[in-house]
Amino acid sequence: MSYNPAFQGEFYTCCYDEQESKLMVLKDKQALCEDLKYILSVPDLCDVTFLVGPEQYPIHGLRAILASRNRLFYLMILAKEKETKIQASQKKIGFLKKLKEIRKLLTSKPSYQTSEPSISRKLTIVLEEFEPCVFERLVRYIHCGMVSVDVFSVVGLLNAAEKFELECLKNACWEFAVSCIRPDLVHDLISSANEYSNCKLTNDLFKEIQEISLNQPELLYYTPRSRPRNIRDHNDSRPKSITTNGLLMRSVL
């Protein structure tokens, strides 16, 4: 016999079983998510920094979370750690050689031990193939399990999810991208896809647009209402350039 109370939701559930005492399980997911988002916003609390895009915009994260939740991030972080250790070892060898040369010039050896150069606990990884606004959302999703996606970021996030083998995020982004194939959004969708024109999923999306446009010719000729050129995400302070030229759709098709 089990009993489920009237109040049962995301935060806690109660149950009763004859074999066990009454049990309450608390799930404060929102607070955990907010704490992780705060950690990501404070570089001193993070131990890995990604320099993203040509401008090398810094995006911070926790390597324990990234490595445990994603195989490719684990391999990337592991490779960087090995590279850092090799570099530190080479510096140490060079340091010891110089120390020996100095000792030869001294009449007496120093009585103290010289400290060895320490290996920094923080890693820095350069990634030029992503837009900062896209990669930042990807990192936020891996840490918090939650991310906001709009028509301007969905194509980039779709391809990033494909690269990092995040099937749930990839499927969600694909469904959202397809839902944006409508006269008032498709121009912005295609404009944001230009950065990823060489990616397989972007080409698949263009094929989807072509098929839908056969039954909806207005996709080709609809001129969307003008929008501000700088649109900002509520979690992203970097400006995004938006193109809504109606000719862009026809040039792609």
Side-chain angles (χ1 to χ4, degrees), residues 7-97:
F7 184 88
Q8 200 173 41
E10 181 180 358
F11 294 103
Y12 75 80
T13 57
C14 294
C15 63
Y16 179 79
D17 190 277
E18 293 179 350
Q19 304 297 326
E20 300 178 2
S21 60
K22 191 171 182 179
L23 177 68
M24 187 273 289
V25 179
L26 178 66
K27 299 179 182 179
D28 196 354
K29 297 179 181 178
Q30 184 63 29
L32 175 61
C33 183
E34 292 300 319
D35 289 343
L36 288 171
K37 286 167 63 177
Y38 172 74
I39 290 174
L40 295 179
S41 69
V42 182
D44 289 341
L45 297 179
C46 299
D47 57 7
V48 59
T49 298
F50 298 95
L51 302 179
V52 184
E55 66 274 29
Q56 295 197 345
Y57 187 91
I59 295 173
H60 309 285
L62 298 170
R63 52 181 153 181
I65 294 179
L66 291 166
S68 62
R69 286 178 55 85
N70 186 266
R71 183 181 67 89
L72 292 183
F73 270 111
Y74 168 74
L75 295 175
M76 185 187 302
I77 290 171
L78 184 64
K80 188 62 180 180
E81 286 179 340
K82 289 182 178 179
E83 178 186 336
T84 302
K85 289 180 180 179
I86 291 173
Q87 292 175 349
S89 177
Q90 292 173 344
K91 288 181 180 179
K92 178 181 176 181
I93 293 173
F95 171 79
L96 292 176
K97 287 182 177 179

Side-chain angles (χ1 to χ4, degrees), residues 130-139 153 156-157 160 196 238:
F130 294 99
E131 293 176 288
C133 63
V134 168
F135 191 78
E136 187 172 33
R137 292 173 194 239
L138 181 76
V139 169
S153 62
L157 204 52
Y196 307 93
R238 294 181 299 281

Side-chain angles (χ1 to χ4, degrees), residues 11 26 41 56 70 72 79 89 91 126 138 144 148-149 155 158 164 179 189 197 221-222 236:
F11 294 103
L26 178 66
S41 69
Q56 295 197 345
N70 186 266
L72 292 183
S89 177
K91 288 181 180 179
V126 178
L138 181 76
C144 306
S148 60
V149 186
V155 178
L158 172 67
F164 285 93
S179 72
L189 182 66
S197 59
Y221 305 107
Y222 181 85
D236 187 2

Side-chain angles (χ1 to χ4, degrees), residues 195-207:
E195 294 288 334
Y196 307 93
S197 59
N198 294 326
C199 298
K200 177 182 178 300
L201 290 182
T202 301
N203 293 325
D204 291 344
L205 183 61
F206 284 158
K207 291 177 183 178

